[in-house]
């Protein structure tokens, strides 16, 4: 069933529009019942502001829905960069898999249609894209707890620590074809910022010098390619693959994760690092959003403390799950029934979390750099109108990203990482 559905698109595939969507949606699962009324009663608007897809909000007398449709190319670039429509199936499958583990942290799914490469899901309201809230200085007190729980449960329960070997291999088989989306990450995150690439861009001329230094930094190239190698071969768990603050919708009391079309079975630290990277970018951007009436200092503190709480929360929850529900084929429980073996396993857990911490920091650094020197940038920094002011924030973030990649094995605690961020924040070079 899954392999049949993977081949999305067909002879009747066509990009949907506000005009054509109602007629299609009328036959899409139970969508009409959610909306109420008839097709003439539904209001449709296209709201996609991402890099790849069409996204529509549909409102009816009884309710509303979101429809997301894959395009056969990268929307940010155009038809010159083709992409397979299969990514819609990977997104639906990832959401379906994660919904079994953390249903309250995802939108509800209503319908998937392979022919149109489209997913119909719950409209989250009054939620906003978290990145926009961070730019506006909104505090989300429950976010760290929610996202740490999301990551711990989705990553633990899709790993060999919780799954039988056959189940894990079937999971890998389902997602191993998501090669084109992985290739985007392999190039845009781990390779292009460190070479001359047509699609690279940065704040110029202010960052011309640092961009050139990154292209000449031999030690950094080795570090980022080591991270790329891990991304290529560490099949640890089903990862979201693009878990940044633009793929998270929030209120002050709720957190939902969206857009897992980059999902595949990869390194656990990649998801954790992506969240940390985007919080660090938000932290370094705050000086660019400060005004005479709001210096953003208190908000900077909250963002940085939240980054710390994300890691400590993830670590605690992941370890708790490993100790209480580690029933996979890795570390068979019957081998560790005696006290000495149990103590040895606990020591190994500590070592493993230290390794995952280093992995997460390294991936965070790579994600920070790509958002400043690569193709796809972030609103946190792009909304700073003054290029000199923006470049100073970016320069600090780039220095932090470099230190995370090069020093990821030497940093032993989140407190050290936060101190490193504060030190870079204090840097005043233009």
């Amino acid at each position: 069933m899954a392999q049949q559905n993977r081949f999305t698109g067909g002879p009747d595939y066509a990009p949907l529009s506000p005009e054509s969507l109602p007629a299609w949606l009328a036959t899409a699962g139970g969508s009409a019942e959610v909306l109420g009324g008839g097709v003439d009663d539904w209001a449709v608007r296209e709201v996609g502001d991402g890099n790849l897809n069409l996204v529509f909000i549909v409102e009816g007398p009884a309710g509303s829905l979101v429809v997301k449709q894959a395009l056969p190319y990268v929307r940010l670039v155009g038809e010159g960069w083709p992409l397979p429509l299969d990514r819609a199936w990977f997104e639906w499958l990832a959401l379906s898999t994660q919904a079994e583990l953390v249903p309250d942290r995802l939108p509800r799914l209503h319908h998937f249609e392979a022919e149109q490469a489209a997913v119909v899901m719950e409209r989250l309201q009054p939620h906003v894209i978290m990145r926009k809230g961070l730019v506006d200085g909104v505090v989300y007190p429950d976010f760290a707890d929610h996202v740490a729980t999301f990551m711990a449960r989705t990553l633990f329960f899709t790993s060999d620590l919780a799954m039988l070997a056959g189940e894990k291999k079937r999971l890998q088989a389902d997602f191993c074809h998501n090669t084109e989306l992985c290739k985007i990450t392999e190039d845009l995150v781990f390779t292009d910022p460190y070479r001359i690439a047509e699609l690279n861009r940065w704040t110029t001329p202010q960052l011309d010098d640092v961009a050139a230094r990154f292209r000449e930094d031999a030690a950094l190239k080795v570090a980022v390619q080591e991270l790329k190698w891990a991304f290529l071969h560490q099949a640890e768990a089903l990862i979201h693959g693009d878990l940044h603050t633009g793929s998270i919708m929030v209120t002050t009391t709720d957190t939902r994760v969206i857009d897992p079309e980059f999902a595949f079975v990869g390194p656990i630290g990649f998801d954790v690092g992506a969240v940390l990277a985007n919080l660090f970018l938000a932290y370094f951007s705050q000086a660019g959003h400060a005004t005479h009436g709001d210096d953003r200092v208190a908000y900077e503190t909250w963002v940085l403390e939240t980054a710390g709480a994300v890691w400590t929360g993830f670590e605690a929850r992941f370890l708790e799950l490993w100790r209480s529900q580690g029933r996979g084929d890795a570390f068979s429980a019957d081998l560790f029934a005696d006290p000495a073996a149990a103590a040895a396993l606990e020591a190994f857990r500590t070592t493993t979390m230290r390794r995952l911490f280093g992995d997460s920091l390294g991936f965070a650094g790579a994600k920070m750099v790509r958002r400043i020197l690569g193709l796809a940038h972030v609103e946190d920094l792009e909304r700073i109108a003054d290029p000199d002011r923006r470049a100073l924030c970016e320069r600090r973030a780039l220095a932090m990203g470099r230190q995370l990649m090069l020093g990821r094995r030497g940093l032993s605690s989140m407190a050290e990482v936060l101190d490193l961020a504060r030190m870079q924040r204090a840097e005043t070079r233009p």
Side-chain angles (χ1 to χ4, degrees):
M1 176 68 172
Q3 291 304 313
Q4 293 171 352
N5 282 346
R6 182 174 71 81
F7 298 100
T8 51
D12 294 327
Y13 170 86
L16 294 165
S17 68
E19 293 72 32
S20 65
L21 183 60
W24 174 80
L25 201 56
T27 62
S31 302
E33 288 76 10
V34 174
L35 295 169
V39 294
D40 294 334
D41 301 312
W42 302 342
V44 182
R45 66 183 191 275
E46 209 276 312
V47 297
D49 60 357
N51 299 325
L52 300 182
N53 308 290
L54 294 172
V55 181
F56 302 90
I57 290 177
V58 187
E59 297 175 295
S64 58
L65 292 168
V66 166
V67 178
K68 181 175 178 180
Q69 184 188 36
L71 290 168
Y73 52 83
V74 176
R75 183 176 184 176
L76 176 65
V77 176
E79 296 184 11
W81 188 342
L83 271 186
L85 297 172
D86 291 0
R87 67 185 189 274
W89 182 81
F90 292 117
E91 177 166 0
W92 170 78
L93 182 60
L95 286 168
S96 301
T97 303
Q98 293 166 342
E100 297 177 6
L101 304 170
V102 280
D104 54 343
R105 299 276 76 90
L106 299 160
R108 291 191 303 276
L109 296 176
H110 292 289
H111 181 71
F112 170 72
E113 184 175 306
E115 181 79 21
Q116 291 298 332
V119 182
V120 184
M121 66 190 83
E122 174 188 8
R123 180 189 178 188
L124 299 171
Q125 55 179 341
H127 299 66
V128 299
I129 295 294
M130 187 180 183
R131 191 182 306 285
K132 297 182 183 298
L134 292 173
V135 173
D136 292 337
V138 180
V139 171
Y140 299 104
D142 296 324
F143 168 74
D145 175 67
H146 289 169
V147 79
T149 300
F150 170 85
M151 292 190 298
R153 290 188 62 81
T154 58
L155 295 170
F156 176 80
F157 283 112
T158 60
S159 77
D160 293 294
L161 298 173
M163 299 186 79
L164 299 180
E167 296 171 343
K168 172 75 179 311
K169 287 178 171 60
R170 283 189 288 274
L171 183 71
Q172 288 179 260
D174 280 338
F175 283 94
C176 72
H177 298 280
N178 200 9
T179 54
E180 286 82 359
L181 275 291
C182 287
K183 177 64 171 171
I184 290 176
T185 300
E186 292 152 17
D187 288 345
L188 298 190
V189 175
F190 299 111
T191 309
D192 284 355
Y194 309 91
R195 65 183 178 185
I196 297 294
E198 179 182 359
L199 296 177
N200 284 350
R201 63 185 181 89
W202 55 81
T203 302
T204 186
Q206 289 86 349
L207 295 184
D208 288 356
D209 62 330
V210 70
R213 285 201 303 273
F214 272 51
R215 294 194 301 269
E216 298 166 359
D217 192 330
L220 186 59
K221 287 181 179 181
V222 170
V224 76
Q225 290 301 289
E226 184 182 3
L227 290 162
K228 181 179 181 179
W229 190 21
F231 184 83
L232 290 168
H233 82 270
Q234 284 184 358
E236 294 180 323
L238 177 63
I239 67 172
H240 179 284
D242 199 28
L243 191 56
H244 54 75
T245 51
S247 297
I248 298 171
M249 298 192 70
V250 289
T251 69
T252 55
T253 59
D254 191 31
T255 304
R256 306 291 185 95
V257 174
I258 61 173
D259 295 347
E261 62 197 316
F262 283 77
F264 79 110
V265 178
I268 287 171
F270 191 77
D271 273 1
V272 183
V275 175
L276 294 178
N278 281 266
L279 290 171
F280 289 139
L281 289 172
Y283 169 72
F284 286 111
S285 75
Q286 294 306 315
H289 300 298
T291 64
H292 290 299
D294 180 8
D295 62 11
R296 293 289 183 111
V297 172
Y299 193 67
E300 284 182 343
T301 299
W302 176 80
V303 173
L304 203 57
E305 289 176 348
T306 297
V310 166
W311 169 258
T312 55
F314 167 77
E315 180 182 39
R317 287 161 181 75
F318 194 92
L319 280 171
E320 180 183 6
L321 291 170
W322 192 352
R323 290 168 183 143
S324 64
Q325 302 192 54
R327 304 187 184 100
D329 273 339
F331 301 95
S332 299
D334 59 345
L335 298 180
F336 300 96
D338 65 276
L345 177 56
E346 188 61 21
F348 178 78
R349 290 183 181 122
T350 299
T351 301
T352 298
M353 297 313 295
R354 189 178 302 123
R355 192 264 298 172
L356 290 179
F357 180 60
D359 290 351
S360 300
L361 296 182
F363 287 126
K367 296 281 274 184
M368 292 171 72
V369 171
R370 67 77 52 109
R371 291 296 190 179
I372 300 172
L373 300 182
L375 169 64
H377 289 207
V378 292
E379 187 176 357
D380 311 67
L381 294 163
E382 295 287 279
R383 269 182 51 183
I384 302 172
D386 182 341
D388 291 329
R389 199 176 184 188
R390 179 173 66 247
L392 177 57
C393 297
E394 291 172 330
R395 190 178 290 271
R396 293 164 174 166
L398 286 169
M400 175 78 172
R402 180 180 184 276
Q403 288 178 296
L404 290 179
M405 282 187 276
L406 291 174
R408 64 189 186 276
R409 297 302 177 205
L411 292 162
S412 60
S413 72
M414 203 64 197
E416 286 185 57
V417 176
L418 302 188
D419 284 343
L420 183 62
R422 295 184 189 100
M423 181 183 71
Q424 290 301 334
R425 168 65 180 85
E427 175 60 62
T428 58
R429 286 184 305 133

